[in-house]
Amino acid sequence: MKFFLARLVAFLPLIRALEAQTLLSYEDASLIAWRAYGTMVSQYITAGQPLKKGTDFIFVTPPSTIAVRGGTPVPEAITNNDLWPFADSLQLNNDPLFDVAGMSYIQALDYYLNSVDLGTKEPTAAQLAKITQLQDALFAAQEKFFSVDSDAYNKYINDARAQATKQTFAAWCNAKYPTYNAYKNSMRSANSALQQYSLQVYGPAYNTLTDQRTKIETRAQEGMSLEPGYNMPVYGGSYNVQFKPFAKHEITEGLHYKPLYSLGGGFEEVCDTWINGTSSGQFSFSWNMKNVNGRDWSSLGHSTSVKSGGGGFFSILSAKHSSTKEETQFNSWTSKFSENVSLRLTMKGPPVLFNIQAGGWDVPAVRATYPKITKNGINNLAGKVRITKLLLGHQVGLTITISDSATWKSVSQFISSSKKDTRGGLRIFGFGFGAGVGGNTFRNITEVQTSEQGNGGVIVIPPGPVGIPMMLGAFGKAV
């Protein structure tokens, strides 16, 4: 009994501390953390200029998201392949957490142009029925082609014989994947039928629209040959920048083509300074989360009642277990989270903002140019935001300070337990460690450093490797 009372007395301060606080869900904690981080991102994206409500939007990404590799020794195909998921992924205007798997802008643009109502003259009922029939046939043909496009290329990349013999994608498709060409030809035939009939119905005004669609469908989306100004080479295989000596290391196997996007603002030159270590010294940004409303993102262009947050790449602390493959969120944050947790982000030189540029296929302000679509048309652009700028950093590291003994004890035990699962994974504020987190992780779980400090402790994530820029945030405009 004496031993029990002694243990109880020892734990009384911890029990009282916990009683004074209420639990905060990991979703709410995540939203607070990312909203506070968004303030820093916003400063470097807007440079103090106000956002236009309903038009301008700022998005945050975990500072561990591998961005666009570039520089003198990096083939254009590599840069463009990395740029594609950021530049072409449409975002939702009510979700400030960037989604690299968003709907394709160029596909949505193509669908929209196929659905435009020019309003030049009123077609007859029979003509409208015929146009609808031809549109449906084209949409079906596009769906079939898009469904095999990525599959064909992935199988080509993984065909060891094709890569060893440097067989072109076009030749490989002819021999191993005839469905690709068949579906592409069907899509083009359906497109041609719609164009010709619509020209008869709507007259000369349809010529401009036809030209815009042709630039997308037969030039930008030509996957087997180069169309300067409209598509770009991409290389989907693995690639490591050759640093020593710092020289070009061209790789051309697996070359494919996607619609053109590029980065302006001296991207190659900035990457060279990062890789060569000639960029200006160490940069750091510290922030806490006091008085931060995790649901109010209105100053970044979004809603005052954002609900989604946490989980996946946006986990502020989670572990994936090798035995179950399930991800466990640390869910013992308290109502004092905003007061007890502070962060310090470091990188080599200040973050840099780059403009995204599209090729000659783009139709800027397409919804303003063509405000009406047909009754059965497809409008995937409404409520969407198109990314126009990327904020990147290099050799990003993070220090998280927790100034509460009870929270620190729970956090440090969670991390320690995760480290023991050598085939599992750990994610901290988006940074992934260990094979268990999958995807782009390139860091060993032993790199995570923890230490007690005062009435709490510190988590230190060392700077990332040289040559791999990181996404910090993005700016977009409503379509």
Side-chain angles (χ1 to χ4, degrees), residues 160-200:
R161 183 181 179 84
Q163 301 310 315
T165 59
K166 299 189 183 330
Q167 186 179 24
T168 66
F169 180 60
W172 182 87
C173 282
N174 289 334
K176 297 287 187 70
Y177 210 121
T179 308
Y180 179 92
N181 288 327
Y183 282 174
K184 184 166 75 171
N185 291 335
S186 295
M187 180 178 68
R188 288 183 171 175
S189 295
N191 175 56
S192 178
L194 175 61
Q195 299 304 316
Q196 292 176 14
Y197 187 75
S198 296
L199 186 59
Q200 295 175 25

Side-chain angles (χ1 to χ4, degrees), residues 311-322:
F313 289 109
F314 285 94
S315 292
I316 54 174
L317 182 58
S318 66
K320 187 167 275 189
H321 307 286
S322 60

Side-chain angles (χ1 to χ4, degrees), residues 104-166:
S104 165
Y105 167 70
I106 193 168
Q107 289 182 18
L109 176 62
D110 193 17
Y111 281 131
Y112 191 90
L113 292 175
N114 278 309
S115 304
V116 165
D117 180 356
L118 289 172
T120 50
K121 66 176 182 178
E122 195 69 29
T124 66
Q127 288 174 327
L128 283 175
K130 179 67 173 178
I131 289 174
T132 298
Q133 178 187 355
L134 292 172
Q135 284 179 330
D136 289 344
L138 176 59
F139 294 150
Q142 287 174 324
E143 289 286 355
K144 283 185 176 181
F145 175 70
F146 294 145
S147 71
V148 301
D149 187 22
S150 296
D151 182 59
Y153 182 60
N154 289 333
K155 287 181 177 177
Y156 164 64
I157 284 293
N158 293 313
D159 188 326
R161 183 181 179 84
Q163 301 310 315
T165 59
K166 299 189 183 330

Side-chain angles (χ1 to χ4, degrees), residues 227-475:
E227 284 282 338
Y230 289 90
N231 68 4
M232 61 183 183
V234 297
Y235 177 75
S238 59
Y239 179 83
N240 293 315
V241 178
Q242 182 174 310
F243 296 115
K244 295 181 180 180
F246 187 64
K248 193 161 188 172
H249 185 203
E250 190 80 44
I251 294 180
T252 56
E253 298 95 324
L255 203 62
H256 187 50
Y257 299 90
K258 285 185 177 179
L260 174 65
Y261 284 107
S262 60
L263 280 180
F267 177 66
E268 271 204 350
E269 292 76 11
V270 171
C271 285
D272 283 352
T273 66
W274 282 341
I275 296 170
N276 281 315
T278 56
S279 58
S280 55
Q282 198 74 4
F283 168 86
S284 67
F285 185 89
S286 299
W287 73 98
N288 60 44
M289 293 169 277
K290 294 179 181 178
N291 302 316
V292 172
N293 182 350
R295 302 197 179 279
D296 186 356
W297 292 71
S298 56
S299 64
L300 275 68
H302 300 277
S303 167
T304 58
S305 57
V306 172
K307 296 179 180 178
S308 61
F313 289 109
F314 285 94
S315 292
I316 54 174
L317 182 58
S318 66
K320 187 167 275 189
H321 307 286
S322 60
S323 58
T324 63
K325 306 300 182 184
E326 293 181 355
E327 185 174 23
T328 301
Q329 301 290 335
F330 177 79
N331 211 13
S332 296
W333 303 112
T334 72
S335 56
K336 298 290 185 179
F337 172 80
S338 297
E339 299 175 20
N340 295 334
V341 181
S342 59
L343 301 97
R344 178 173 178 265
L345 198 71
T346 61
M347 63 190 81
K348 188 68 173 178
V352 184
L353 188 66
F354 299 99
N355 296 321
I356 297 175
Q357 302 160 340
W361 53 266
D362 193 20
V363 184
V366 64
R367 295 182 67 204
T369 304
Y370 302 115
K372 294 176 62 178
I373 63 173
T374 59
K375 182 179 179 180
N376 297 310
I378 296 177
N379 182 6
N380 288 328
L381 298 175
K384 303 297 194 306
V385 178
R386 185 182 180 194
I387 298 302
T388 59
K389 299 176 187 288
L390 300 181
L391 184 68
L392 308 184
H394 185 238
Q395 288 188 272
V396 179
L398 181 69
T399 300
I400 302 174
T401 302
I402 299 174
S403 56
D404 176 74
S405 57
T407 302
W408 172 249
K409 183 176 181 179
S410 298
V411 167
S412 59
Q413 287 178 346
F414 186 90
I415 294 174
S416 176
S417 176
S418 301
K419 281 186 171 184
K420 293 175 182 177
D421 186 353
T422 56
R423 290 185 297 173
L426 183 66
R427 193 172 295 283
I428 303 174
F429 207 74
F431 288 83
F433 299 90
V437 295
N440 287 327
T441 183
F442 49 83
R443 311 189 70 169
N444 194 294
I445 201 167
T446 59
E447 291 185 45
V448 181
Q449 304 167 11
T450 60
S451 61
E452 290 189 8
Q453 178 178 293
N455 193 33
V458 175
I459 304 169
V460 177
I461 298 174
V466 173
I468 302 181
M470 295 296 175
M471 272 278 288
L472 303 176
F475 173 81

Side-chain angles (χ1 to χ4, degrees), residues 195-216:
Q195 299 304 316
Q196 292 176 14
Y197 187 75
S198 296
L199 186 59
Q200 295 175 25
V201 174
Y202 293 111
Y206 198 74
N207 283 336
T208 300
L209 187 61
T210 300
D211 182 57
Q212 290 168 336
R213 293 187 53 224
T214 299
K215 288 177 180 178
I216 292 174

